[in-house]
Amino acid sequence: MTTNRPPLAVLVKGWPRLSETFIAQELVALEAAGHSFEIWSLRHPTDVKRHPLHDRLQAQVNYLPEYLFQEPERVWRARETAQKLPGYAEARRIWRADLRRDPSRNRIRRFGQACVLATEMPDAVLGLYAHFLHTPSSVARYAAIMRGLPWSFSAHAKDIWTSPDWEIREKLSSNDHGATFGATCTAFGAKHLQEMSDDPARIDLIYHGLDLSRFPAPPERIWRKASDPLYLMSVGRLVEKKGFDRLIAALALLPKDLDWHWTHIGGGGLGDLLQGIAEDAGVADRITWRGACDQPEVIEAMRQSDIFVLPSRVAADGDRDGLPNVLMEAASQRLPILSTPVSAIPEFIDSGTHGLLSDDAPAALAGAICKMAEDPENTAAMAEAALQRLRRDFGMDPGIARLSERLNAMLNGA
């Protein structure tokens, strides 16, 4: 280990990731606020493209063993060294208790990664900060216990709603080497975590907000007439909670005399299935699947579209969106929004004022699309209202200031 290194270690699932611009935005802003840190990533990147935002980050990026068998010498060397750390026995005791309740390879991998992190972090590290409450926080917690350091987290969506209650409670407990503080990006999620914590004050609502300096000024749109072609677009991973299967079914219900086209941007494992659904529904020739795109490509597509659609829903395993940043990005370009009242989306979109929130049933979605298409004047007014709300209430700076305060307190306490 070397000296003269940053005092904060930041854990992420993967770096860089196109679908996690909110993390990149936050870390770039923390650097601008004077924070010095290194990134420790649990996985190597899989996206071919990068956002320009990723290239602005100055922090060193380190990659932990993605799978322990891939770097056996590094893992065994780390474990041997970790056993000499003052908190190793306690970390192992807690991990063994976790393993009994979650006897999975993933749980074993977390402890191995924690050993590597605890032994390879520089001596200068005074605290850890993990993005996501599930896997990254487990690695951070085990490593922090080994080193006798405080740790903290930022929780988002899936990590809150699919983690077992026992694990969340212990990570939030003052008596079980829990987090010094936790941040989460929605009031919906914050209330849930505060109810599970023995000290609700340790959970902060910190909206990601949007750094509007990164985006072009919204276009002065020439709004379509009700009889004009309708260009719909969506941005989101092709996973169950995004609801794109329901949207495809809705598109098949649109009136025959409505000339529409839908463009989807994003990767994900359900691509082949959804394209097959579109073919079976007879709408495949009206859909463009663009795959993963960088942010300038996304913004350009938004500027060329008429309505942004995100039909979020609760997945079978409980996974759901928080407050998707793409809704704020759409608002930044004065693009009308159609979404659903899932999780924290109503915290930004007041239905009928800043956009429409529809039930995710195909017939309801189709009706909402028709309503927005048939009344361009009201649709334009909602887009303008969403833009003004974004500028007034969802800027990035207040959240960064609060997070910076929390991180400084943690590091100073250490």
Side-chain angles (χ1 to χ4, degrees):
M1 303 180 200
T2 61
T3 57
N4 194 31
R5 299 283 290 278
L8 181 65
V10 176
L11 269 77
V12 296
K13 287 193 299 183
W15 183 272
R17 282 187 162 183
L18 288 175
S19 62
E20 294 176 357
T21 53
F22 56 94
I23 295 178
Q25 173 184 270
E26 175 192 285
L27 296 183
V28 168
L30 285 175
E31 280 191 334
H35 287 272
S36 181
F37 53 85
E38 288 185 356
I39 293 176
W40 292 82
S41 177
L42 306 188
R43 296 178 181 174
H44 290 270
T46 56
D47 295 317
V48 176
K49 297 182 178 181
R50 294 167 63 97
H51 294 310
L53 191 61
H54 291 130
D55 296 325
R56 290 174 54 186
L57 194 77
Q58 300 299 309
Q60 177 177 312
V61 181
N62 309 283
Y63 291 94
L64 296 170
E66 188 164 343
Y67 295 99
L68 303 185
F69 70 85
Q70 294 175 331
E71 299 183 66
E73 292 183 6
R74 184 184 180 193
V75 173
W76 283 110
R77 183 172 63 250
R79 185 171 181 269
E80 184 176 328
T81 304
Q83 289 174 326
K84 302 171 185 176
L85 293 173
Y88 177 82
E90 177 68 1
R92 187 176 186 277
R93 181 190 69 80
I94 289 175
W95 169 69
R96 293 284 294 181
D98 293 347
L99 185 63
R100 284 193 293 272
R101 293 170 289 187
D102 173 29
S104 66
R105 291 180 179 178
N106 187 29
R107 183 67 61 174
I108 294 171
R109 183 165 64 248
R110 294 179 198 183
F111 192 75
Q113 290 175 319
C115 287
V116 174
L117 177 62
T119 57
E120 293 187 2
M121 280 190 303
D123 290 327
V125 169
L126 298 177
L128 296 84
Y129 171 58
H131 261 286
F132 292 102
L133 185 52
H134 51 5
T135 307
S137 284
S138 292
V139 176
R141 183 185 181 212
Y142 299 145
I145 296 169
M146 292 180 201
R147 289 278 295 268
L149 298 173
W151 70 279
S152 55
F153 68 85
S154 182
H156 303 290
K158 180 177 182 178
D159 49 330
I160 298 175
W161 305 110
T162 64
S163 295
D165 285 354
W166 63 262
E167 184 167 11
I168 292 179
R169 291 186 189 281
E170 290 180 12
K171 287 176 176 175
L172 301 183
S173 171
S174 304
N175 301 318
D176 291 303
H177 303 281
T180 301
F181 76 88
T184 189
C185 52
T186 68
F188 186 70
K191 181 176 184 293
H192 180 71
L193 294 179
Q194 286 165 352
E195 290 172 348
M196 299 184 75
S197 174
D198 58 6
D199 180 9
R202 298 202 338 266
I203 306 300
D204 252 351
L205 167 61
I206 299 179
Y207 285 116
H208 296 305
L210 211 62
D211 178 6
L212 291 172
S213 69
R214 295 192 294 109
F215 296 87
E220 294 298 330
R221 291 181 176 272
I222 300 175
W223 296 102
R224 58 179 291 280
K225 299 180 179 63
S227 58
D228 289 345
L230 178 68
Y231 295 98
L232 307 161
M233 76 164 293
S234 301
V235 180
R237 290 180 298 127
L238 297 170
V239 294
E240 183 185 2
K241 70 178 179 180
K242 297 298 183 180
F244 293 128
D245 56 335
R246 306 274 176 93
L247 177 57
I248 292 170
L251 296 175
L253 297 176
L254 293 177
K256 300 300 182 184
D257 59 351
L258 179 61
D259 182 8
W260 62 269
H261 190 91
W262 176 53
T263 296
H264 175 271
I265 292 176
L270 297 183
D272 290 343
L273 174 63
L274 291 171
Q275 291 180 39
I277 291 174
E279 291 173 2
D280 292 343
V283 296
D285 60 339
R286 292 185 169 209
I287 298 174
T288 298
W289 304 93
R290 290 191 55 181
C293 293
D294 61 31
Q295 196 151 59
E297 292 172 318
V298 171
I299 296 302
E300 182 57 32
M302 288 179 170
R303 295 169 73 87
Q304 302 301 320
S305 300
D306 297 314
I307 300 176
F308 185 87
V309 188
L310 188 66
S312 301
R313 63 188 177 99
V314 179
D317 65 356
D319 189 13
R320 67 201 75 180
D321 276 326
L323 175 53
N325 264 34
V326 289
L327 294 178
M328 289 182 276
E329 291 171 7
S332 80
Q333 300 306 301
R334 205 180 265 115
L335 177 60
I337 294 169
L338 167 60
S339 192
T340 55
V342 167
S343 190
I345 292 173
E347 293 175 35
F348 179 55
I349 301 295
D350 183 6
S351 188
T353 301
H354 311 105
L356 285 187
L357 300 182
S358 164
D359 185 279
D360 68 355
L365 287 169
I369 292 171
C370 288
K371 183 176 181 179
M372 296 181 79
E374 293 165 359
D375 190 355
E377 185 174 332
N378 185 55
T379 298
M382 291 190 292
E384 185 63 35
L387 173 61
Q388 297 309 318
R389 181 162 205 213
L390 171 67
R391 289 171 170 170
R392 183 182 66 248
D393 300 329
F394 285 85
M396 175 190 68
D397 292 345
I400 293 299
R402 179 56 179 161
L403 180 58
S404 179
E405 179 183 344
R406 282 287 210 171
L407 288 171
N408 282 331
M410 179 183 75
L411 296 173
N412 292 336

